[in-house]
Amino acid sequence: MSLSYRIESELKSGERIPLGTLGHLVVFSWSLAMVLYSTPENMLWIAGLCILVLLILYPGAWCSVINFRRFILLLLIAVPPVFFLGDVDSIFLGIPYSAIGSISSLHISLRFVVVLIAVEGLTSAVEISALAYILERFGLKGLGFSMGVAVNLLPSLQKSCTQSWLALRMRGGLRKNWWKGLMLFSLTTITCAIKRAEEIALAAESRAFSPDKTSPLPVKSSPIDWAVIILVCISILLII
Amino acid sequence: MKFSTRNLVTLAVFGTLWGISEITLGTLLKTLDIPLSGLLLSIIGLTIALIGRIFVPMKGSTIFIGAIAMLLKLFSLGGVVLGPMLGIFGEAIIAEILLSLTGKPRLGSLILAGGLSTLWVLAQPFVTNPILYGRSVLIVWEKVINNGGKLLGLGTNVAFWIMGILALIHLASGAVVGILSWTLGGALQKRVGISAEG
């Protein structure tokens, strides 16, 4: 299964427009900026444009974006404003809802989809190490390495949090002595995270990694990057 | 600021923890429009950042944790991202300045850093809203007073009282952050067996 996935992703990367790291970053920042600054009046076409551009650049990104878990997450984020934001002044099929809230909800949903496709596209096209080296170039010595570690730590910390919570729940959760329970939960979670960090530090040190000795690698670039940057600047100026 | 590999990894861990709290809890609280949600997030985030400072007591470590959390916030889904990102970084900068001025982290310096950093949550709209969204300071003031008045059950005619009480709430919460980080940091060091020097 993993082999077929690999072949599939290789095929997808082969079909892609050959952008450099800078180009991918510019497209990612552009899509984020566009949806952040969109107003309720223009959000539909801006989000549509972003999705279209992202799907042209990353044809396979939508496959991994659409799944049941993310749909539930979208519902959790987008549904509450329909009922709780602003005055409940409209009725649809006998269900009262807020008109302002529903617009906000639509805005959030579109932003959710755009951000997801943009993140998926960027992470599938650019390696974390490349992002780290770009950060290093801005004078933040070691931040690139730390960011790489942070991104890799996200799933394991999430797992550690869940396991700590389940263990606490089996012992009564936060029903009695909730403050003590909360402290124990925090202590366990952070301890697990620090222990994991110890392992990562050991692995890095055993490979002779030293932040002082690292030199920034050349960033992968492509002639199309400049065309993309010009187009992005024009589109942002038009929106402003 | 020259960090060793071990320091960098430790800072990454604390930055990730702050980032996770902002991504998950932040999105949920902002979506539900819960009052003082920014303050609650700031309490959690700063507690993590100040514990990180206890583990890596070097200049620049708090700003490093803040930068990682801010970058991770970029991956947040739904809601507004730019404001919270600037909020995270602002809090980290204030805490960093105060902790750098006071030297090695102690209970007093952590309380001071926590108090003034959480106060940034109240001050932030007056700085970011005019720059980012073009709103005038007066409109921001009106909004803060209206929301504060509703929360405290006071009329808008006592605007300065509302502002004062809100500032006190933020400062007191910040002091709690300092005490919490000192207590938790000490307990964690005992558990993990790492000295304050990292």
Side-chain angles (χ1 to χ4, degrees):
Chain A
M1 192 176 165
S2 62
L3 184 70
S4 63
Y5 176 77
R6 202 188 168 110
I7 292 166
E8 199 182 321
S9 56
E10 272 169 12
L11 275 171
K12 277 172 196 165
S13 62
E15 290 162 7
R16 273 188 193 143
I17 295 168
L19 282 182
T21 307
L22 192 66
H24 287 296
L25 270 175
V26 166
V27 169
F28 174 72
S29 313
W30 169 79
S31 47
L32 282 186
M34 291 287 269
V35 287
L36 276 177
Y37 282 101
S38 64
T39 55
E41 294 81 41
N42 60 19
M43 68 177 170
L44 270 175
W45 74 264
I46 282 184
L49 177 73
C50 288
I51 292 170
L52 185 73
V53 170
L54 289 168
L55 289 181
I56 290 169
L57 289 171
Y58 314 113
W62 65 272
C63 300
S64 42
V65 166
I66 299 166
N67 65 41
F68 183 70
R69 208 172 147 187
R70 282 184 175 157
F71 181 67
I72 295 292
L73 187 67
L74 173 64
L75 286 181
L76 279 172
I77 292 170
V79 171
V82 178
F83 303 104
F84 299 114
L85 193 75
D87 297 324
V88 180
D89 51 3
S90 311
I91 293 174
F92 178 71
L93 297 173
I95 303 165
Y97 70 95
S98 156
I100 298 170
S102 55
I103 293 169
S104 171
S105 175
L106 181 67
H107 204 173
I108 290 170
S109 309
L110 287 170
R111 188 179 293 160
F112 181 93
V113 174
V114 172
V115 170
L116 261 178
I117 301 176
V119 170
E120 195 61 41
L122 179 78
T123 49
S124 64
V126 180
E127 284 178 32
I128 290 168
S129 57
L131 288 176
Y133 287 121
I134 287 174
L135 287 169
E136 297 271 346
R137 277 169 179 265
F138 284 101
L140 300 159
K141 199 84 181 162
L143 185 63
F145 172 70
S146 290
M147 261 316 284
V149 173
V151 173
N152 281 305
L153 265 175
L154 269 173
S156 69
L157 280 190
Q158 197 183 8
K159 199 178 166 189
S160 149
C161 285
T162 315
Q163 281 174 347
S164 307
W165 174 249
L166 288 174
L168 184 71
R169 215 173 64 170
M170 280 192 288
R171 287 161 178 81
L174 301 175
R175 277 175 293 176
K176 206 177 176 184
N177 280 335
W178 65 271
W179 181 251
K180 196 184 167 191
L182 211 59
M183 288 296 111
L184 282 172
F185 171 67
S186 317
L187 275 174
T188 316
T189 309
I190 303 177
T191 308
C192 290
I194 292 171
K195 293 247 161 108
R196 178 98 181 95
E198 280 285 300
E199 289 168 16
I200 297 170
L202 274 174
E205 279 170 355
S206 65
R207 284 166 178 80
F209 173 83
S210 167
D212 295 331
K213 287 174 190 163
T214 51
S215 53
L217 285 180
V219 177
K220 211 190 282 178
S221 61
S222 151
I224 305 170
D225 286 355
W226 294 105
V228 168
I229 292 167
I230 292 164
L231 282 173
V232 160
C233 290
I234 291 168
S235 69
I236 287 174
L237 281 173
L238 283 173
I239 298 279
I240 291 168
Chain B
M1 49 177 190
K2 269 191 176 178
F3 297 113
S4 65
T5 309
R6 201 161 288 263
N7 285 340
L8 286 174
V9 175
T10 310
L11 293 175
V13 164
F14 286 103
T16 313
L17 285 171
W18 189 355
I20 285 178
S21 76
E22 286 284 343
I23 292 169
T24 53
L25 203 62
T27 310
L28 190 72
L29 291 176
K30 289 281 171 197
T31 310
L32 294 175
D33 203 22
I34 290 169
L36 298 179
S37 56
L39 178 63
L40 181 66
L41 287 168
S42 150
I43 290 171
I44 297 168
L46 278 166
T47 307
I48 294 166
L50 296 185
I51 295 173
R53 182 70 174 213
I54 295 172
F55 272 80
V56 185
M58 289 168 74
K59 277 185 184 175
S61 58
T62 314
I63 213 163
F64 221 87
I65 294 171
I68 294 167
M70 182 190 75
L71 286 170
L72 287 177
K73 181 71 187 170
L74 206 66
F75 297 98
S76 186
L77 306 165
V80 181
V81 181
L82 208 60
M85 277 174 75
L86 292 171
I88 293 168
F89 206 53
E91 287 161 23
I93 288 173
I94 294 168
E96 177 61 53
I97 292 168
L98 289 163
L99 289 169
S100 298
L101 288 174
T102 50
K104 199 183 166 190
R106 292 184 194 287
L107 180 61
S109 60
L110 291 177
I111 289 175
L112 186 71
L116 290 178
S117 303
T118 45
L119 204 59
W120 169 249
V121 178
L122 188 64
Q124 194 204 335
F126 294 98
V127 181
T128 51
N129 277 15
I131 297 167
L132 292 177
Y133 312 112
R135 283 182 198 146
S136 83
V137 179
L138 279 175
I139 290 172
V140 180
W141 169 266
E142 194 186 348
K143 201 185 165 195
V144 171
I145 295 299
N146 280 336
N147 291 343
K150 266 186 208 166
L151 188 76
L152 300 168
L154 294 169
T156 47
N157 51 337
V158 284
F160 284 99
W161 275 105
I162 293 171
M163 210 54 178
I165 295 169
L166 284 176
L168 266 178
I169 292 172
H170 282 74
L171 276 170
S173 310
V176 172
V177 166
I179 298 166
L180 256 178
S181 53
W182 181 255
T183 319
L184 276 173
L188 273 167
Q189 281 182 333
K190 271 184 200 161
R191 268 196 175 204
V192 183
I194 297 173
S195 69
E197 277 70 33

